[in-house]
Amino acid sequence: MKLFLDSGDIDEIKKAYGLGVIDGVTSNPKLIAANWNGKNADFLEALDKLGRKDPVIVTLSSHERDAMIREARELSARHPNVVIKLFMTEQDLSVIGELKGRGIPCHVSLVYSVNQAFLAAKAGASIISPFLGRADDFGDDGVRLLTETIDMIRGYGFDTEVMAASIRHPYHARQAIRCGAPIITLPFAVLEKMYRHPATEEGVQGFLDAAGMKT
Ligand code: G3P
């Protein structure tokens, strides 16, 4: 099982790595725009400086086929740990096989149905992401989508990992863990809420006070 941090903020990423629970980082155009003025290269350079070799999922700056392939090749030549984030569109589907043939792994995001997940896996995606929170936003059942996707991938024996994404709160995280999601990506705010518990904090304080210890 792998846990990824969904973030473009290098301080958050450092903190999460410091906890020893993170296996990689995911980003999206919104996060790169907010933290790096849209410049993927700067984000990747900052991550390189951390000296870790974990996978980093990044989006492309173009949605035109040839430019997508060119940029994916450049990024993966410079950063061997890069996984290219694609979206669940006709255009993106058609790019997966080409990149896979060149040894470049792809992650397909914005997946809202088992049919979409099936096609992305069939096209050769290394990772696919059902979007739990956004599926819920449409009145669908994000957790059910996740479970059915995992069952489909396992049933067919696809060489594709399912990454639960659009995790909005600790209950989503709990449900994804209970589904046995092979990968979960979540924002730092959710990660923090997962390890904090008022009863733990109260208990720690009580023991420390009793023993006269300071933190
Ligand atoms: O991992 C996908 C994530 O970045 C989208 O989350 O909360 O905008 O649906 P959200």
Side-chain angles (χ1 to χ4, degrees), residues 14 17 44-54 81:
K14 275 193 219 163
Y17 270 130
L44 289 172
E45 209 179 302
L47 282 178
D48 278 351
K49 287 192 185 140
L50 297 184
R52 299 197 59 116
K53 302 282 174 227
D54 305 307
N81 45 346

Side-chain angles (χ1 to χ4, degrees), residues 4 18-19 27 37 45-46 50 59-60 62 65 72 89 106-107 109-110 123 128 130 136 145 154 158 182 207:
F4 280 43
L19 295 174
S27 65
N37 218 1
E45 209 179 302
L50 297 184
T59 37
L60 301 172
S62 158
R65 196 170 193 281
T89 69
C106 295
H107 160 229
S109 72
L110 293 169
I128 50 176
D136 291 353
L145 168 66
R154 289 199 180 133
F158 280 125
F207 286 138

Side-chain angles (χ1 to χ4, degrees), residues 63-123:
H63 205 232
E64 187 274 313
R65 196 170 193 281
D66 291 343
M68 287 168 82
I69 292 169
R70 200 168 41 245
E71 188 182 355
R73 291 181 67 190
E74 282 165 13
L75 284 171
S76 100
R78 236 180 291 155
H79 307 273
N81 45 346
V82 147
V83 178
I84 303 299
K85 177 179 272 201
L86 300 172
F87 304 119
M88 185 56 219
T89 69
E90 184 182 343
Q91 166 93 322
D92 292 58
L93 267 185
S94 78
V95 165
I96 299 171
E98 169 111 21
L99 294 183
K100 190 181 181 186
R102 295 175 186 276
I104 303 171
C106 295
H107 160 229
V108 176
S109 72
L110 293 169
V111 167
Y112 294 99
S113 74
V114 173
N115 286 349
Q116 288 183 323
F118 169 78
L119 292 176
K122 191 81 183 72

Side-chain angles (χ1 to χ4, degrees), residues 6-7 26-28 30-31 85 107 109-110 112 129-135 137 163-168 185-187:
D6 195 34
S7 177
T26 56
S27 65
N28 63 37
K30 230 163 118 182
L31 294 170
K85 177 179 272 201
H107 160 229
S109 72
L110 293 169
Y112 294 99
S129 279
F131 268 41
L132 274 68
R134 292 193 190 192
D137 290 344
M163 175 159 77
S166 184
I167 300 286
R168 302 271 177 80
T185 186
L186 38 78

